[in-house]
Amino acid sequence: MEIEPREQKILEQRVNKPGQIGLIGKVVLADGTVFTEVPLACENGSERLKLADGTLSFIQEKYGVSLSPADITHIDFSDPKEDEFRPSILQIETTTRCNLHCVFCVGRTFEQERMSLSDFEKILERFSYQLQEIILQGEGEPFLYEDIFKMIAMAKAKAQRVSSISNGHLLDKVGGRIVDSGLDELGFSLESIDPEKFSSLRAGGNFTKFDRNVRDFHSRKHGSGLQTVLYISVLRETIAELERILEWAESVGFDTVKVQPLQSKLSYLPRYSLPLLQNTLSHEELTQAIAHFRDRFGETLLKGFFTKKDRRDLVCSMIRKWLYVLVNGDVTPCCIIKQNRQ
């Protein structure tokens, strides 16, 4: 459904490419129920406000209410003010291409493309103020392309902190340049340290190479100030490995370890195979699994992502701080909402 917006300024973060403009607004039901701070959209060149592809799934995740477009009588802006939306964290997807083919990665189902340096520069020019952080991360491997180092340098001039993530298989080629680039944080992820499981979950990957690369990288980055994070995606079939994985992470020297289940947002689940869905843990199951590791590994090393029994009470604290620019230039207020990809 669409409505004519009131005569007022649209708070937009626009990139000079075709696609949707990400907006924050409110949704009103026939009984008067109002859902605020939800993602809406407006097509480039249009003055009509509309539901974004991710609006209904966002409401279901945030409020625990399942809606159809027919349930909604009105959508509008939420008391717009010119200075209302001033994101401090900018995440930019520089590519959707990758050198691995992980069985759980939704990025392999997207169009495989990369962002040009000129488009990256246009995005940064949209911000007249210093950002808190720029995250160079999306559904691909950022270090596949030479331009990433120019992007890091440009981001460093625009933000207090710049971070990225990698699958680690290119560190033998670019590890030294990453350390010298001024990057503040680099994340890695894995599900298993069993070589056979590692390769089956991360097609094209090799644990022996990954292990050697990240150990060499930690030796090389010593004293540089660059922080490393390991994201462990725990599956039902790998939960028995968790203690060994944590011991391995400690031996490598990761600064922080974060433990998470596979992403369970509605925009991801349809892309999972049935065996993968059956292999996915809930937040509650994972919370129980890691509880007894905290005393041994400590809060600094082991940080589980937030969990809550009643997800309807959960309000994302980042919705007013975060802006996510997809590789094609589309914009969303959340890195989980892939507007035109759902």
Side-chain angles (χ1 to χ4, degrees):
M1 62 175 294
E2 298 183 359
I3 65 165
E4 293 290 344
R6 298 195 302 266
E7 288 296 319
Q8 53 192 305
K9 291 185 178 180
I10 295 178
L11 305 178
E12 65 183 28
Q13 296 295 331
R14 187 195 300 260
V15 178
N16 292 332
K17 281 189 143 188
Q20 292 182 330
I21 304 167
L23 303 166
I24 300 294
K26 62 184 178 182
V27 168
V28 184
L29 307 186
D31 63 1
T33 301
V34 179
F35 298 104
T36 60
E37 296 191 349
V38 299
L40 300 174
C42 184
E43 298 292 338
N44 279 342
S46 170
E47 296 182 351
R48 298 178 71 85
L49 188 64
K50 61 185 293 184
L51 296 178
D53 289 342
T55 302
L56 298 183
S57 60
F58 181 88
I59 290 173
Q60 179 160 356
E61 285 295 317
K62 181 177 178 181
Y63 295 101
V65 177
S66 179
L67 298 175
S68 71
D71 299 317
I72 298 171
T73 60
H74 186 69
I75 57 177
D76 210 340
F77 298 100
S78 299
D79 301 322
K81 299 175 183 176
E82 190 167 5
D83 62 348
E84 185 180 37
F85 183 52
R86 187 180 171 91
S88 57
I89 300 174
L90 174 63
Q91 181 172 346
I92 303 175
E93 180 179 59
T94 60
T95 184
T96 50
R97 294 173 182 165
C98 192
N99 52 330
L100 302 185
H101 201 296
C102 303
V103 297
F104 46 79
C105 182
V106 299
R108 299 314 102 234
T109 68
F110 299 157
E111 184 176 349
Q112 303 298 283
E113 51 187 326
R114 60 185 287 198
M115 181 177 289
S116 70
L117 200 58
S118 61
D119 282 338
F120 184 85
E121 187 173 15
K122 288 176 184 177
I123 294 168
L124 296 187
E125 288 173 351
R126 290 289 174 176
F127 297 87
S128 59
Y129 56 91
Q130 189 81 353
L131 291 158
Q132 175 184 330
E133 182 174 7
I134 294 178
I135 304 168
L136 304 178
Q137 174 190 346
E139 297 293 343
E141 169 57 48
F143 295 96
L144 272 176
Y145 302 106
E146 180 79 15
D147 282 351
I148 187 62
F149 294 103
K150 294 179 181 178
M151 291 176 175
I152 291 172
M154 294 164 65
K156 288 288 289 182
K158 199 70 177 179
Q160 300 171 25
R161 189 170 185 273
V162 179
S163 61
S164 188
I165 196 166
S166 172
N167 60 44
H169 281 69
L170 300 175
L171 289 179
D172 53 332
K173 297 181 176 65
V174 299
R177 296 187 66 188
I178 293 174
V179 173
D180 295 337
S181 70
L183 192 71
D184 296 287
E185 179 183 290
L186 184 62
F188 304 92
S189 61
L190 87 169
E191 300 70 42
S192 173
I193 59 173
D194 176 88
E196 187 175 338
K197 282 184 183 177
F198 185 96
S199 296
S200 66
L201 291 167
R202 294 176 168 257
N206 181 287
F207 178 73
T208 300
K209 179 176 183 177
F210 175 77
D211 178 60
R212 180 178 62 248
N213 281 358
V214 295
R215 289 183 186 277
D216 289 347
F217 182 76
H218 277 82
S219 297
R220 186 175 291 181
K221 70 101 174 174
H222 182 72
S224 67
L226 191 158
Q227 298 287 296
T228 55
V229 181
L230 178 67
Y231 298 93
I232 305 173
S233 295
V234 184
L235 304 174
R236 204 171 296 282
E237 70 172 293
T238 63
I239 196 166
E241 279 189 71
L242 184 54
E243 185 170 10
R244 290 197 301 116
I245 296 174
L246 292 170
E247 290 172 343
W248 172 84
E250 197 171 36
S251 74
V252 172
F254 286 97
D255 297 293
T256 302
V257 174
K258 294 189 176 182
V259 182
Q260 61 191 19
L262 282 184
Q263 181 55 251
S264 59
K265 294 292 188 292
L266 295 180
S267 55
Y268 283 70
L269 295 179
R271 295 182 169 93
Y272 291 167
S273 66
L274 180 58
L276 190 59
L277 287 171
Q278 294 170 336
N279 209 0
T280 301
L281 293 171
S282 69
H283 279 270
E284 289 71 23
E285 288 175 311
L286 182 58
T287 299
Q288 293 175 7
I290 68 173
H292 67 284
F293 290 124
R294 291 194 179 279
D295 289 340
R296 176 176 174 186
F297 293 99
E299 290 288 340
T300 302
L301 178 62
L302 180 62
K303 293 184 177 180
F305 283 156
F306 61 78
T307 60
K308 202 161 189 174
K309 288 184 178 180
D310 189 351
R311 300 300 295 278
R312 291 173 296 180
D313 293 340
L314 186 61
V315 177
C316 179
S317 62
M318 304 304 292
I319 196 71
R320 288 290 179 191
K321 302 176 184 178
W322 200 293
L323 196 70
Y324 183 32
V325 183
L326 281 66
V327 67
N328 65 355
D330 285 358
V331 179
T332 90
C334 173
C335 64
I336 304 302
I337 301 173
K338 318 289 186 182
Q339 285 183 335
N340 66 324
R341 299 173 173 172
Q342 298 199 29

